[in-house]
Amino acid sequence: MILKLLDDLSEGVTIARPVLVQGRTLLAAGAQLTSKHLKIFKAWGVNEIWIEGEPEKVSNSEPDHQSKEFKIVLEKIDKRFSKCNGNSELISSLKRIAIAREYSIYKKETDDKGESNE
Amino acid sequence: MNSETRKKMETTLRSVGQLPTLPVVYSRLQKVLGDPRVSAQEVGSVIEQDQSLASKVLKIVNSAYYSFPRRISTLSQAVVILGFNEVKNLALSISVINAFGEYGNTAFDRIAFWKHSLAVAVCAGCIAKKAGAAISNSHEEAFVAGLLHDIGKIVEDQFMHDIFQEAFQKGQTQGMLLFEAEKATMGFTHQETGEFITELWKLPSQLVITTSFHHSPLGKKGTTNAFALVSLVHVADIIVRSIGLGSGGDPFIPPLIEECWNLIGLSTNSVESIVTETTRSFEEIGQFLLVDTLSKEII
């Protein structure tokens, strides 16, 4: 089950939790989303809904853990997290997200630099 | 706050002479909103007295951040749709950023600071919307608490510049969290300065509390509403520092107080969506709140 912003949704996904506005059910769990539903949700000011599925990775590119770039990113993130509680579940999740995000940004910057040098 | 620490901070700040004030329009707005019979039109008229504020409020309410289906063309309309509290919070946010814009070439990057503060505001608001029953604070309350949580740093940079720069440099060279370096150099931190300034500006007590306890939230654990808002800001600060949006003055993440995260009542599965929504909303609102005010492209 994942929480998605309305702008990121397309027709056909399955609703995981009822969509409620002011205590009234606009759409029940298990229903398939249509474009009409999206218009109604927007009119009622609904910004996000729970749909069936697995959480997506923040970054689309899977880091190569042996690469020089990954090691540079890991060093930066390790420093960033050096003063907080490593045994916390939240901190561990944030660290994973930070590594993926930073790697994605770093890769894009180095790829852009490579393109502009050609 | 320890009374001796408070006295030390006040003595330092008062020795500067002129204390920082909020724009007049915000004081007028606070006064007008104190009258339960005030109309949306009257509130709109007060905001209109400051053209820059009025124009910014309208730009923001018509932005993707709010995503209203119809264009809002007047301030009184904005007041009716958003409500008095939200408009007041928006006016406060804009007024504070306007009051403390860029400040010459210093090592303390003020643009990065405002990016960080705005990101914490957006993140705290996002968490408040998703949080469990223990959090009764609205996302608007959480937003403005997040925006102001580090206001003490800006006051120190502008009004106690030399000693604050000394603390900042100490933190940078010795690898310390900024509040640790502040304590070691000045004898007090931005929490104490923030508490003083938010009291001086007669801001709601909840905002005073979040500025003074966001690094030490357990100090407010016995007080349910105050602890809830401080918890939101404490966790939002940590999330924003983790993903590196802006800078709070040091490159580190401070220790997480687990009780704050437990109170919020979310699972770690929700963290990715919080991060996604925070970065999206930050981009949407940042261009209106920060670009014109700080005269540079922020995003």
Side-chain angles (χ1 to χ4, degrees):
Chain A
M1 182 166 48
I2 45 177
L3 187 63
K4 292 282 257 184
L5 295 172
L6 218 60
D7 289 343
D8 291 341
L9 288 170
S10 47
E11 293 180 59
V13 295
T14 306
I15 305 301
R17 282 195 195 164
V19 180
L20 302 174
V21 170
Q22 295 168 8
R24 290 175 56 198
T25 305
L26 287 188
L27 190 63
Q32 301 277 314
L33 192 68
T34 67
S35 56
K36 190 177 171 187
H37 295 140
L38 285 168
K39 280 185 193 158
I40 291 169
F41 293 161
K42 203 155 186 168
W44 277 103
V46 173
N47 290 321
E48 56 199 9
I49 56 176
W50 288 96
I51 61 168
E52 297 291 353
E54 290 297 316
E56 288 167 10
K57 285 195 180 74
V58 170
S59 162
N60 287 330
S61 61
E62 188 64 40
D64 172 5
H65 290 219
Q66 299 306 314
S67 69
K68 190 178 100 179
E69 292 95 347
F70 185 77
K71 286 176 181 160
I72 291 171
V73 164
L74 196 60
E75 201 179 307
K76 182 177 177 181
I77 300 300
D78 277 344
K79 182 184 173 183
R80 194 182 286 175
F81 280 77
S82 62
K83 293 188 183 288
C84 58
N85 8 4
N87 57 353
S88 155
E89 216 179 297
L90 172 63
I91 295 295
S92 302
S93 283
L94 285 171
K95 193 168 183 180
R96 277 194 301 276
I97 292 169
I99 289 169
R101 189 184 148 86
E102 203 68 35
Y103 182 77
S104 180
I105 293 169
Y106 186 85
K107 276 291 284 178
K108 188 176 184 306
E109 280 172 2
T110 46
D111 289 348
D112 287 349
K113 260 190 209 155
E115 276 172 23
S116 65
N117 286 338
E118 281 167 10
Chain B
M1 187 198 318
N2 174 287
S3 63
E4 204 183 299
T5 313
R6 165 79 182 229
K7 200 175 170 188
K8 187 163 187 163
M9 181 277 303
E10 263 197 70
T11 307
T12 311
L13 190 53
R14 286 189 190 280
S15 69
V16 170
Q18 192 181 3
L19 291 174
T21 56
L22 278 178
V24 166
V25 66
Y26 183 73
S27 312
R28 286 189 193 136
L29 200 56
Q30 270 182 311
K31 193 175 173 186
V32 148
L33 287 170
D35 179 357
R37 296 162 302 178
V38 73
S39 69
Q41 198 154 1
E42 283 167 311
V43 173
S45 300
V46 169
I47 298 173
E48 268 166 5
Q49 292 169 18
D50 183 327
Q51 278 299 307
S52 155
L53 176 64
S55 141
K56 206 155 276 187
V57 168
L58 280 175
K59 272 188 194 164
I60 291 170
V61 300
N62 283 304
S63 73
Y65 181 74
Y66 283 100
S67 287
F68 288 120
R70 283 197 307 272
R71 179 165 175 76
I72 296 167
S73 50
T74 66
L75 285 163
S76 55
Q77 240 183 341
V79 173
V80 167
I81 290 171
L82 291 178
F84 288 159
N85 270 338
E86 174 70 343
V87 167
K88 187 174 83 165
N89 286 336
L90 202 51
L92 173 60
S93 304
I94 296 166
S95 297
V96 169
I97 296 172
N98 280 347
F100 295 97
E102 277 184 277
Y103 184 74
N105 281 323
T106 73
F108 180 68
D109 185 340
R110 206 174 273 203
I111 293 172
F113 165 82
W114 280 120
K115 280 176 88 170
H116 167 77
S117 295
L118 180 59
V120 172
V122 163
C123 186
C126 169
I127 299 171
K129 278 192 261 184
K130 296 180 184 342
I135 304 291
S136 58
N137 308 95
S138 67
H139 74 271
E140 297 94 348
E141 250 186 313
F143 180 94
V144 76
L147 189 74
L148 294 183
H149 78 286
D150 269 347
I151 195 69
K153 288 178 191 170
I154 277 282
V155 171
E156 286 168 1
D157 185 42
Q158 190 141 326
F159 294 91
M160 305 181 214
H161 184 71
D162 292 344
I163 196 168
F164 176 71
Q165 284 301 312
E166 199 184 314
F168 178 76
Q169 291 297 346
K170 186 184 179 75
Q172 295 285 297
T173 51
Q174 294 184 25
M176 300 165 81
L177 286 158
L178 182 53
F179 73 82
E180 290 172 337
E182 283 172 325
K183 187 79 183 174
T185 313
M186 306 189 295
F188 54 86
T189 75
H190 61 277
Q191 290 188 118
E192 284 86 31
T193 314
E195 182 185 32
F196 175 78
I197 207 71
T198 48
E199 281 178 348
L200 183 72
W201 289 345
K202 297 184 174 39
L203 295 184
S205 58
Q206 302 255 61
L207 294 182
V208 175
I209 288 167
T210 47
T211 57
S212 43
F213 286 95
H214 62 276
H215 287 302
S216 46
L218 293 180
K220 278 292 155 190
K221 196 174 175 189
T223 322
T224 317
N225 285 343
F227 185 56
L229 190 58
V230 172
S231 294
L232 281 172
V233 172
H234 173 78
V235 170
D237 184 40
I238 281 170
I239 291 175
V240 165
R241 283 169 179 259
S242 302
I243 58 176
L245 275 178
S247 169
D250 59 63
F252 305 108
I253 298 162
L256 166 73
I257 304 296
E258 286 282 0
E259 284 94 328
C260 293
W261 177 241
N262 294 340
L263 177 75
I264 286 167
L266 293 173
S267 81
T268 46
N269 286 339
S270 57
V271 173
E272 281 204 35
S273 75
I274 291 172
V275 167
T276 304
E277 197 179 320
T278 296
T279 48
R280 179 193 301 264
S281 298
F282 169 70
E283 282 162 19
E284 283 167 0
I285 200 169
Q287 59 183 309
F288 298 107
L289 265 181
L290 298 182
V291 171
D292 299 334
T293 305
L294 299 182
S295 310
K296 272 188 191 174
E297 190 171 326
I298 304 300
I299 311 291

